[in-house]
Amino acid sequence: MPKLQKLFFIIGFMLILSGCTQKNNISNVEKNKESLTQKQKKCNQHIKIMQYALSYVTKEFEKGYFHQNDLIGAKAQLFLIENRSPNIFAQNINEAQKAYDTEYNLAQKNNCDIDKFTVSPIQKVKNKIKILSEEQK
């Protein structure tokens, strides 16, 4: 009989320990879900800021230069932007580019899906100027 009691005691002890292990596993799964949710929120925030910066830069050039086919003005403004001119337009575009770059780097570190953001706002403007210049030839 004492052997049977020892056996029941060992089996009961194992069941108790295995129950604790499952509880820890459930806790770890919940923590992973919370971590993924937080990561997704961060990624969405990075992407939202990048989209806004990209949209801002392209809309400003579209309204100011491309809509009127003013390539010389667009090239001049791009020159001012690249040389950090103190004019308001250049400062605003540079700030948008800076925000874009910052968020892009953070999104890369957080392994966000940023495949749609292969071209920076300034580069997109340069590409548009190049295309419009070739069309005018």
Side-chain angles (χ1 to χ4, degrees):
M1 193 73 166
K3 288 184 181 183
L4 192 55
Q5 285 178 335
K6 285 183 183 180
L7 182 64
F8 282 128
F9 178 74
I10 291 172
I11 291 173
F13 188 69
M14 288 174 56
L15 286 174
I16 289 172
L17 289 178
S18 67
C20 292
T21 303
Q22 288 177 352
K23 188 174 183 178
N24 286 339
N25 287 341
I26 292 170
S27 177
N28 288 340
V29 169
E30 289 174 359
K31 286 180 184 177
N32 287 340
K33 283 183 183 178
E34 288 175 14
S35 175
L36 288 174
T37 303
Q38 289 175 346
K39 180 186 175 211
Q40 188 62 40
K41 284 181 183 179
K42 285 181 182 180
C43 287
N44 288 341
Q45 182 181 4
H46 299 313
I47 289 170
K48 185 177 178 180
I49 293 170
M50 288 189 307
Q51 284 174 332
Y52 181 79
L54 184 62
S55 172
Y56 173 77
V57 172
T58 54
K59 282 181 183 177
E60 289 300 311
F61 268 90
E62 190 66 43
K63 287 189 305 186
Y65 302 101
F66 299 143
H67 185 67
Q68 300 161 357
N69 288 326
D70 183 9
L71 290 180
I72 293 172
K75 289 177 183 179
Q77 193 59 250
L78 190 59
F79 175 80
L80 293 173
I81 290 166
E82 289 177 332
N83 288 294
R84 306 271 183 219
S85 170
N87 79 33
I88 298 298
F89 188 86
Q91 287 179 344
N92 289 342
I93 298 298
N94 281 326
E95 284 300 315
Q97 180 66 45
K98 182 179 173 183
Y100 179 92
D101 291 340
T102 300
E103 295 302 321
Y104 184 87
N105 291 333
L106 289 171
Q108 269 187 322
K109 285 182 184 177
N110 290 323
N111 295 321
C112 300
D113 182 18
I114 51 175
D115 292 338
K116 295 178 184 177
F117 299 95
T118 56
V119 180
S120 73
I122 298 292
Q123 188 60 49
K124 192 168 187 175
V125 169
K126 287 179 181 180
N127 293 347
K128 177 94 177 199
I129 290 171
K130 184 178 178 182
I131 289 168
L132 291 176
S133 294
E134 289 174 1
E135 286 177 357
Q136 284 186 350
K137 289 183 180 180

